[in-house]
Amino acid sequence: MTSTAPARVIAAVDGSESSLLALRTAAEYAATLQTELLIITCWKAPDFYTGAIAGDAEIFRTEAGQQQEAAIERAFPGGCPVTATRRLTHGRPAPALIAASEDAQLLVLGTRGHGEFAALILGSVSLECITHAHCPVLTVRAQ
């Protein structure tokens, strides 16, 4: 009988207070489930960005990496308490998180609580993930 490692827990991190809480919560679940934590930060150049200089969009990827690193340090001043892998993903967050959820047992993300009207206009990563993820989704809101 072959034993395989349990599917990982995913934390979506964008630097917001709710995503820091999501990161801490995901780490707690990963520890309880004795599995790995995958920390995902999505990035893309702003819609108005023209990309006039070749390779210039790399600035946005670098900034996302720095934002992810700062979030991890803020969430875990003494170091991450579980084995964690970091991933920077180009594109909209919801599709990237939904794709990653195929190999996960839990997706944890923060919610900013814009309300129904704002979510209708702005869209909602949380709602899209809850609706389409391949694993259970836990949303947390910073107080």
Side-chain angles (χ1 to χ4, degrees), residues 82-120:
V82 296
T83 300
T85 301
R86 302 171 189 186
R87 181 184 297 171
L88 297 178
T89 303
H90 180 261
R92 288 184 43 243
L97 295 170
I98 292 165
S101 75
E102 288 186 31
D103 299 321
Q105 57 182 317
L106 180 65
L107 170 60
V108 185
L109 48 118
T111 180
R112 294 192 178 146
H114 289 303
E116 290 178 33
F117 183 71
L120 178 65

Side-chain angles (χ1 to χ4, degrees), residues 9-10 101 104-109 129-130 133-139:
V9 173
I10 298 173
S101 75
Q105 57 182 317
L106 180 65
L107 170 60
V108 185
L109 48 118
C129 288
I130 289 167
H134 303 279
C135 67
V137 178
L138 174 63
T139 61

Side-chain angles (χ1 to χ4, degrees), residues 43 49 55-63:
W43 69 276
Y49 180 72
D56 203 26
E58 188 65 23
I59 294 168
F60 300 106
R61 183 184 194 288
T62 300
E63 186 176 306

Side-chain angles (χ1 to χ4, degrees), residues 27-77:
E28 289 174 16
Y29 274 92
T32 300
L33 297 169
Q34 298 179 334
T35 191
E36 174 185 293
L37 174 63
L38 173 61
I39 304 167
I40 298 178
T41 300
C42 298
W43 69 276
K44 70 181 196 104
D47 292 335
F48 60 83
Y49 180 72
T50 62
I53 302 171
D56 203 26
E58 188 65 23
I59 294 168
F60 300 106
R61 183 184 194 288
T62 300
E63 186 176 306
Q66 292 169 346
Q67 184 180 57
Q68 184 185 70
E69 180 66 31
I72 294 167
E73 288 176 11
R74 284 181 56 207
F76 309 115

